[in-house]
Amino acid sequence: MRHLSWISIMRLGLVQLCLGAIVVLMTSTLNRLMVVELGLAAVLPGALVALHYGVQITRPNWGFRSDNGGNRTRWIIGGMGFLALGALLAALAVVVLDGVFWAGMALSVLAYGMIGLGVGASGTSLLALMATATAPRRRPAAATITWLMMIFGIAVTATVVGSVLDPYSHARMIQIVATVTGGAFVLTCLAIWGIERGARIVAAPAAERMNFHAGMAEIWSEPKARVFTIFVFLSMTAYFMQELIMEPFAGLVFGMTPGQTTSLSGAQNGGVFLGMLTVGIAATGLRIGSLRGWVVTGCIGSAAVLGAISVAGTTGAVGLVTPLIMGLGFFNGMFAVAAIGSMMALAGDGRAQREGTRMGLWGAAQAMAAGFGGLLGAGLADAMRHLMGNDATAFGTVFVIEALIFLAAATMAARIMQKTTAPAGAALVPGE
């Protein structure tokens, strides 16, 4: 097998860019159209987004299929095509919703289910390909490159679509979505073509193949894979707990306007970008630290900043809010990209030709945690506000709980990755 070149890694990053470009249309643009233009309850698009996360519980199956099939490229391209078609149906569903509600909802459920399946098939196979063919010393940088390109795709798509969508009409919206999804599919085909063949990856021998349930049982019997799954779910639950409550916190506790609270999201994403870039440059370019160290540092740093945000809320230190939230994004980005790099390392630690199944298992845990974490944070905030009668104390309590989960995740990461440190001479990423 040949390791991926930097050019090939950049090309795989373009696939991540395409995934982000399509998904942001569903989670942002169509979400707003349903709530504002159509006047629907916010819970409806929220439930559809949750559906697309829930469907990604199928990720282990997609990874298993790509392991046994010996051709991850077809799953990446096929998944992207399914995602693009689902996104186009979701846009059409908005038009139908404007006339016949129940028909539009039925089409929306189908569309968002397809979106979840497409993301699962394409994204899992892509990560499995990277985990299999990326040289160990390049994995931190590879994770950084691909995730930064995904963020870039999200940001550019949201900005460009926002600038050309006005004056709004259903026809214009359909045309824009068709252009984005069609362009993403074509770019994916061009970006991925020939990479897997050039890497000369060997599929699992036919004699060693088994059915999905037996394959999953085999992976789940591996202590490191099982415990790392729990770590992914725990850490990503903490990561997403503040997603739905940070802007309400800033508005209720500090009296910020909608425009001011929206700018906090930009500050946080800027911090995420810097955190990811820091790990990529330090771990690969400068050979500073290990993936285990960056994961633990990111989790502990996130916990510390959440504690500081809680204190800022109770003391009314409004001037600290923006830098603290940017700091939270910085440590979140540091943890996230190091965790992805760790996934790539651990995906190949165990029975060979099972990288896709392991990445699928961890991807499913991440997707479930994304939905669960957001709901947990919002539910706890509502409960604490009702019980305490003070917004600053209520939100601060939730942030402290989130910080404690991050600390638990840091402890677990230190134990897991210490156990996976290879003996002298073995090439395993966490120690490199």
Side-chain angles (χ1 to χ4, degrees):
M1 183 183 70
R2 293 180 177 177
H3 288 141
L4 297 177
S5 66
W6 288 116
I7 296 296
S8 294
I9 291 172
M10 291 290 292
R11 288 171 61 188
L12 294 180
L14 288 174
V15 180
Q16 279 283 64
L17 183 150
C18 293
L19 284 169
I22 295 178
V23 171
V24 74
L25 294 176
M26 310 303 105
T27 58
S28 178
T29 306
L30 297 190
N31 176 71
R32 180 245 153 78
L33 292 176
M34 290 183 195
V35 175
V36 180
E37 273 69 25
L38 302 187
L40 300 176
V43 69
L44 292 177
L48 291 171
V49 171
L51 171 65
H52 116 277
Y53 278 127
V55 168
Q56 291 182 53
I57 198 172
T58 58
R59 276 180 177 262
N61 193 285
W62 297 120
F64 179 81
R65 289 173 182 271
S66 72
D67 284 335
N68 282 349
N71 188 346
R72 302 193 198 278
T73 299
R74 68 177 178 180
W75 294 106
I76 293 170
I77 293 176
M80 186 64 71
F82 211 63
L83 169 60
L85 181 58
L88 190 56
L89 286 178
L92 291 171
V94 172
V95 180
V96 178
L97 276 167
D98 201 18
V100 184
F101 175 79
W102 290 111
M105 281 305 300
L107 186 58
S108 294
V109 169
L110 172 63
Y112 278 80
M114 291 177 64
I115 290 167
L117 290 173
V119 170
S122 187
T124 301
S125 301
L126 176 68
L127 290 174
L129 176 58
M130 292 183 64
T132 304
T134 303
R137 65 183 178 83
R138 290 183 174 179
R139 285 170 181 158
T144 299
I145 289 169
T146 53
W147 253 252
L148 288 180
M149 291 181 74
M150 183 176 69
I151 292 173
F152 179 77
I154 291 172
V156 170
T157 302
T159 302
V160 173
V161 170
S163 67
V164 300
L165 192 57
D166 294 327
Y168 176 78
S169 70
H170 288 331
R172 181 186 291 267
M173 182 266 294
I174 294 294
Q175 183 181 20
I176 290 171
V177 172
T179 300
V180 173
T181 54
F185 179 73
V186 171
L187 181 56
T188 294
C189 293
L190 295 174
I192 195 67
W193 200 259
I195 288 181
E196 186 175 16
R197 184 171 59 253
R200 299 180 182 176
I201 297 171
V202 179
E208 297 182 12
R209 295 177 189 175
M210 57 187 71
N211 63 46
F212 172 68
H213 294 292
M216 278 299 298
E218 182 184 66
I219 297 301
W220 193 250
S221 69
E222 298 174 357
K224 285 177 286 190
R226 184 171 62 249
V227 178
F228 193 73
T229 304
I230 299 171
F231 161 74
V232 170
F233 183 82
L234 187 67
S235 60
M236 286 299 171
T237 295
Y239 185 93
F240 284 99
M241 272 185 68
Q242 52 78 34
E243 185 175 42
L244 299 179
I245 64 173
M246 191 60 76
E247 288 194 37
F249 160 73
L252 290 169
V253 174
F254 296 105
M256 289 186 173
T257 66
Q260 289 174 322
T261 60
T262 300
S263 68
L264 291 178
S265 178
Q268 186 170 1
N269 286 325
V272 170
F273 185 93
L274 291 175
M276 289 183 168
L277 197 61
T278 297
V279 173
I281 293 173
T284 297
L286 302 178
R287 303 292 183 90
I288 298 174
S290 65
L291 285 178
R292 183 187 71 174
W294 289 111
V295 168
V296 172
T297 300
C299 287
I300 293 176
S302 296
V305 176
L306 284 165
I309 292 173
S310 178
V311 172
T314 56
T315 59
V318 65
L320 295 177
V321 174
T322 297
L324 284 175
I325 289 179
M326 188 171 183
L328 177 63
F330 177 81
F331 286 111
N332 280 177
M334 180 183 293
F335 143 73
V337 77
I340 296 298
S342 302
M343 285 185 191
M344 291 183 186
L346 292 171
D349 189 17
R351 184 180 184 271
Q353 287 91 33
R354 284 290 177 263
E355 293 87 352
T357 308
R358 295 186 189 95
M359 293 300 289
L361 176 63
W362 299 329
Q366 179 181 345
M368 298 303 291
F372 175 72
L375 291 175
L376 178 63
L380 283 175
D382 286 341
M384 293 301 173
R385 291 181 67 201
H386 177 73
L387 291 173
M388 297 180 173
N390 182 284
D391 289 336
T393 305
F395 280 103
T397 302
V398 177
F399 292 143
V400 169
I401 293 172
E402 184 180 356
L404 292 174
I405 297 176
F406 263 124
L407 291 176
T411 302
M412 182 173 285
R415 291 183 57 198
I416 295 169
M417 300 185 75
Q418 185 175 23
K419 289 180 179 179
T420 59
T421 300
L428 190 63
V429 166
E432 292 190 10

